Amino acid sequence: MISEKDVKHVASLARIHLKDQEIGRLTKDLEKILDYIHKLNTLDVSGVQPTGHVLPLKNVYRKDAVRPSLAQQEVLKMSVEQQDGFFKVPKVIE
Amino acid sequence: MELHALTAHELLGLIQEKKIAPKEILDAVRERIQTIDKDVKAYIRLNESRPDPGPCPIPIGIKDNMCMVDQETTCGSHILEGFKAPYDATVIDKLKRSGAMLIGNTNMDEFAMGSSTENSFFGATRNPWGLDRVPGGSSGGSAAAVAADEAIWAIGSDTGGSIRQPASFCGVVGLKPTYGRVSRYGLIAFASSLDQIGPIAKDVTDCALLLNIIAGYDNLDSTSVDLPVPDYTKALKKDVKGLKIGIPKEYFVEGLDPQVKDAVRAAVKVLEDKGARFEDVSLPHTEYGIATYYIIATSEASSNLARYDGVQYGIRELAQKVRKSPLLDMYDETRDIGFGPEVKRRIMLGTYSLSSGYYDAYYLKGLKVRTLIKNDFDKLFKDFDALIGPTSPTTAFKIGDRVNDPLSMYLSDIYTVSANLSGIPALSVPCGFSKEKLPIGLQIMAKPFDEEMLFRIAYAYEQSAQWHKQKPKL
């Protein structure tokens, strides 16, 4: 069971401000979806290794060599606000 | 001659014989778009530039989730409106080098989350075979564009069926390559362990030609695999005599439209007559696929989509009054305004699965069931060359039918998610029509990096069946 309080908590973890009517609807949606997902509980997975991804890769290294990278302005130009070579954001503390 | 109605291999033949100039193809396709895209709405935006045609000057539609220098890419979302990437995705770079003509961004469900293309911020795409029907999704714009001759080729991405299901619904050929076969560099991430870019085409030959261009190792994608890329068109010449193909019994259960079932059975008969041997097999964990997929995909998505915070790119929305702090409120507000309902639902589900106290019960459990699903395939591919079944349990459903019921939308991916969870390649090829004249797709699956087997079987079938010659009336 997922409550409206849980949904509000998860929304704050996910950094989404939900309107009141959205909270009600999402609670119902998530409850239905989670109820379906609970069918996994009928499976015994003790001793089964998890699969994070399918390739037999561990760490992939590349040569520690200098390569061309994007210019600072190229990277900054898509931001809403920038100043002196930095991304600019609203005040962090009031 | 209507050039837009031809395939890439036919057009390349005509160019080689000097019967047509590359410019004529581009003009024909652009005119076609002008005439019918107001009905189909396959494109979000068009690329008006006229690059110099290279050796392979085929007009191609690009799903709106691949980065392209100087061309807006939005992932079908409000949050990325105005975004122009400072670099090309590797697939885009390869296509440009081949001389292909990138004609526009095709419509998609926002962040590739959906099975109908109705979740696009820019409005729904319609199925060329019935304008009141969805084209499938999330690569619905790409599949519809190819089906309606608004592109000769298209690129899609497939996280749980997003190439194959729309290919099935629109009567075209779509391939999800093996995980690692095509570089994901520059593909806007949805679920990184499942996403794969792939071709959508009018026939199997064109599909193989397009994979030839986009496949290969890329040191910018550490999950791409350094294996040689064969010439996939060579696989088209072989017959299917003696191949051992499994039919998973779990793909023919309740919920499967009888018309789809009959069409798939008829396709099996065609291949049997050509000398393939069929056997009923079992993928016992199939029924857990959707639940597993929606835990893993949403968990990865909740992490991948954390980057959309109004700081580096995309839109920014400020709060009217301070709730937490001006910065935190900006994050909260930007993401509330910027994401649509399905994306929010999935971020919420993923965040929940990963959150303290629920991680073991959901995310970790999902990863373990993923192992069981993958083991089912590994076991069968020791004995079988391929597996065959329906791509989707139904034909294209009506626009609006499932949009308010997320779970019923999710269940339309029931036969496709397993290939992503297991990393194997899978292809959808047209195998007939319903009474309502809606296309039906046959799904073929093979072992990792054996795309050649898919092309071989699909080509042998296509040459007998000839469904690909039929065109929607628009």
Side-chain angles (χ1 to χ4, degrees):
Chain A
M1 279 302 260
I2 187 163
S3 65
E4 293 203 355
K5 193 172 154 239
D6 295 331
V7 169
K8 280 186 196 162
H9 171 64
V10 173
S12 97
L13 291 176
R15 293 254 181 267
I16 300 177
H17 173 68
L18 295 174
K19 293 170 200 74
D20 287 343
Q21 70 267 30
E22 277 184 297
I23 293 169
R25 195 181 35 101
L26 265 169
T27 308
K28 267 189 233 141
D29 286 351
L30 291 178
E31 194 174 299
K32 205 172 153 195
I33 296 165
L34 288 170
D35 190 49
Y36 177 80
I37 284 174
H38 288 150
K39 76 188 304 179
L40 297 186
N41 293 337
T42 60
L43 276 175
D44 179 14
V45 291
S46 51
V48 177
Q49 289 298 310
T51 297
H53 73 122
V54 292
L55 296 170
L57 293 170
K58 281 248 164 81
N59 292 320
V60 178
Y61 298 105
R62 58 173 168 75
K63 267 205 190 112
D64 186 17
V66 178
R67 290 184 305 177
S69 57
L70 293 169
Q72 191 185 44
Q73 263 317 306
E74 281 291 300
V75 177
L76 286 169
K77 75 177 182 193
M78 279 301 127
S79 62
V80 175
E81 240 186 315
Q82 50 159 300
Q83 193 184 315
D84 305 329
F86 292 95
F87 294 110
K88 197 172 173 190
V89 296
K91 256 193 227 169
V92 180
I93 355 171
E94 197 61 80
Chain B
M1 184 171 28
E2 290 184 313
L3 294 181
H4 58 258
L6 300 182
T7 61
H9 61 93
E10 287 165 343
L11 291 166
L12 291 170
L14 290 172
I15 291 170
Q16 207 164 26
E17 294 164 26
K18 302 213 187 306
K19 288 193 175 142
I20 54 166
K23 181 184 167 302
E24 293 173 64
I25 308 174
L26 188 60
D27 288 343
V29 171
R30 281 191 173 152
E31 201 186 304
R32 177 73 174 167
I33 294 171
Q34 288 308 319
T35 321
I36 61 157
D37 203 52
K38 60 183 191 311
D39 298 325
V40 179
K41 301 179 194 299
Y43 288 94
I44 295 177
R45 69 191 71 81
L46 297 169
N47 176 3
E48 304 295 347
S49 72
R50 274 194 174 273
D52 290 332
C56 182
I58 300 299
I60 181 165
I62 306 293
K63 188 175 182 178
D64 191 33
N65 60 353
M66 324 241 167
C67 291
M68 280 185 265
V69 169
D70 295 332
Q71 168 88 347
E72 200 178 330
T73 300
T74 56
C75 232
S77 181
H78 179 40
I79 210 162
L80 271 174
E81 264 195 294
F83 174 67
K84 284 184 181 172
Y87 62 91
D88 279 333
T90 297
V91 161
I92 298 301
D93 182 53
K94 282 172 179 272
L95 286 167
K96 284 182 176 173
R97 283 167 198 269
S98 80
M101 305 279 192
L102 282 55
I103 47 175
N105 309 71
T106 55
N107 200 12
M108 58 184 283
D109 287 298
E110 184 180 2
F111 284 98
M113 296 177 182
S115 310
S116 69
T117 315
E118 290 167 290
N119 295 334
S120 169
F121 176 72
F122 302 95
T125 295
R126 298 188 184 134
N127 192 314
W129 290 93
L131 294 175
D132 61 336
R133 304 276 169 162
V134 302
S138 65
S139 313
S142 286
V146 171
D149 295 323
E150 292 183 65
I152 307 300
W153 270 336
I155 294 287
S157 66
D158 191 314
T159 305
S162 281
I163 289 174
R164 291 160 287 156
Q165 185 254 23
S168 169
F169 279 14
C170 292
V172 294
V173 180
L175 167 73
K176 182 201 91 74
T178 310
Y179 184 78
R181 179 73 294 186
V182 177
S183 168
R184 293 184 296 110
Y185 179 73
L187 169 70
I188 297 177
F190 161 13
S192 305
S193 83
L194 305 164
D195 296 342
Q196 188 64 194
I197 296 174
I200 295 177
K202 296 182 184 182
D203 67 9
V204 177
T205 306
D206 271 15
C207 191
L209 277 170
L210 185 48
L211 185 63
N212 277 354
I213 296 173
I214 63 172
Y217 171 70
D218 176 16
N219 64 10
L220 296 171
D221 172 6
S222 59
T223 61
S224 72
V225 174
D226 197 359
L227 283 174
V229 179
D231 175 358
Y232 289 106
T233 61
K234 292 216 168 99
L236 306 175
K237 309 282 186 288
K238 297 173 184 166
D239 63 22
V240 294
K241 207 167 286 168
L243 291 184
K244 206 171 154 195
I245 304 175
I247 305 175
K249 65 171 198 261
E250 291 81 4
Y251 285 39
F252 294 85
V253 294
E254 206 194 315
L256 177 63
D257 180 336
Q259 298 194 80
V260 174
K261 184 177 163 186
D262 292 347
V264 171
R265 288 285 175 195
V268 166
K269 183 77 178 53
V270 168
L271 287 164
E272 219 163 30
D273 290 344
K274 290 177 150 289
R277 290 182 298 142
F278 284 87
E279 217 173 278
D280 288 333
V281 297
S282 175
L283 292 165
H285 297 94
T286 300
E287 65 163 305
Y288 304 103
I290 294 287
T292 306
Y293 172 81
Y294 277 92
I295 293 174
I296 294 174
T298 59
S299 295
E300 293 186 19
S302 72
S303 166
N304 274 327
L305 271 61
R307 71 190 70 178
Y308 304 103
D309 57 5
V311 176
Q312 295 176 55
Y313 34 67
I315 62 159
R316 173 182 293 185
E317 196 72 31
L318 299 173
Q320 298 299 325
K321 59 175 202 289
V322 178
R323 290 185 298 261
K324 296 172 184 166
S325 82
L327 177 67
L328 294 180
D329 293 345
M330 186 277 280
Y331 296 152
D332 278 0
E333 209 65 23
T334 299
R335 290 163 67 79
D336 179 40
I337 303 286
F339 292 135
E342 180 61 21
V343 173
K344 282 184 199 167
R345 198 147 45 219
R346 295 207 196 183
I347 291 175
M348 293 289 291
L349 181 60
T351 306
Y352 181 76
S353 310
L354 291 173
S355 65
S356 167
Y358 297 99
Y359 180 92
D360 285 358
Y362 293 98
Y363 183 64
L364 191 60
K365 178 110 194 189
L367 295 186
K368 289 180 177 174
V369 182
R370 182 178 188 178
T371 305
L372 299 177
I373 292 171
K374 187 176 179 296
N375 288 349
D376 285 353
F377 283 99
D378 289 349
K379 216 180 284 172
L380 285 180
F381 284 128
K382 282 188 187 135
D383 288 324
F384 290 86
D385 297 301
L387 303 174
I388 263 183
T391 305
S392 174
T394 65
T395 53
F397 42 89
K398 287 216 166 95
I399 291 174
D401 257 13
R402 299 197 187 184
V403 79
N404 293 318
D405 184 358
L407 195 56
S408 83
M409 188 74 92
Y410 297 174
L411 289 171
S412 78
D413 298 332
I414 191 152
Y415 304 137
T416 47
V417 293
S418 301
N420 302 79
L421 292 167
S422 318
I424 60 171
L427 177 145
S428 180
V429 60
C431 73
F433 291 89
S434 66
K435 286 194 297 285
E436 304 91 342
K437 193 72 186 169
L438 294 169
I440 299 169
L442 176 74
Q443 181 174 224
I444 314 170
M445 298 179 275
K447 60 173 82 74
F449 298 99
D450 199 4
E451 281 80 2
E452 288 162 292
M453 181 59 71
L454 303 179
F455 288 131
R456 180 175 167 186
I457 296 168
Y459 183 77
Y461 172 69
E462 181 187 73
Q463 293 314 298
S464 292
Q466 299 285 321
W467 299 111
H468 63 294
K469 301 273 194 215
Q470 301 204 28
K471 299 267 186 193
K473 290 188 178 55
L474 281 161

